[in-house]
């Protein structure tokens, strides 16, 4: 399946893009692909396809933007991802 990467300068299409805050998800060797996909869906509300794209990007490149939006929304998303000890960072 081809991976769609999202440029941070794209227009916000309801996915939280174009905001200054983002949640970076880092690859690790402790979680299965399916665990990460499920947690990304739980944290963001994204579709299975979008969560798989994010997870694949993190796996292939070492990190991926899991979510972009307002600071408080990013904090909530990061907290859910951290529930299973995924390594995430909020960046401006």
């Amino acid at each position: 399946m081809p991976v769609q990467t999202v440029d941070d300068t794209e227009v916000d299409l309801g996915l939280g893009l174009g905001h200054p805050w983002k949640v970076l998800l880092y690859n690790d060797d402790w979680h299965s692909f399916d665990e990460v996909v499920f947690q990304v869906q739980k944290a963001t509300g994204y579709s299975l396809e979008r969560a798989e794209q994010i997870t694949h990007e993190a796996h292939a490149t070492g990190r991926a933007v899991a979510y972009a939006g307002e600071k408080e929304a990013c904090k909530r998303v990061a907290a859910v991802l951290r529930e299973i000890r995924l390594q995430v960072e909020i960046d401006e």
Side-chain angles (χ1 to χ4, degrees):
M1 162 170 58
V3 176
Q4 273 185 328
T5 56
V6 178
D7 180 31
D8 291 339
T9 61
E10 286 185 39
V11 176
D12 186 345
L13 300 175
L15 297 176
L17 303 174
H19 291 286
W21 294 93
K22 57 190 166 203
V23 179
L24 300 174
L25 171 67
Y26 291 91
N27 186 46
D28 68 34
D29 295 327
W30 302 280
H31 295 89
S32 73
F33 190 87
D34 289 339
E35 286 176 311
V36 178
V37 169
F38 176 80
Q39 203 68 13
V40 169
Q41 279 189 286
K42 180 179 174 184
T44 63
Y46 290 158
S47 68
L48 175 61
E49 180 181 20
R50 182 71 183 120
E52 286 175 337
Q53 290 171 342
I54 292 165
T55 303
H56 185 272
E57 184 177 341
H59 176 74
T61 68
R63 73 177 190 169
V65 175
Y67 182 82
E70 301 297 329
K71 185 176 182 180
E72 291 305 312
C74 286
K75 286 181 178 181
R76 287 190 295 274
V77 168
V80 173
L81 294 172
R82 288 179 178 135
E83 287 175 354
I84 65 167
R85 299 179 189 241
L86 290 172
Q87 184 181 357
V88 297
E89 174 182 23
I90 298 173
D91 190 25
E92 185 175 17

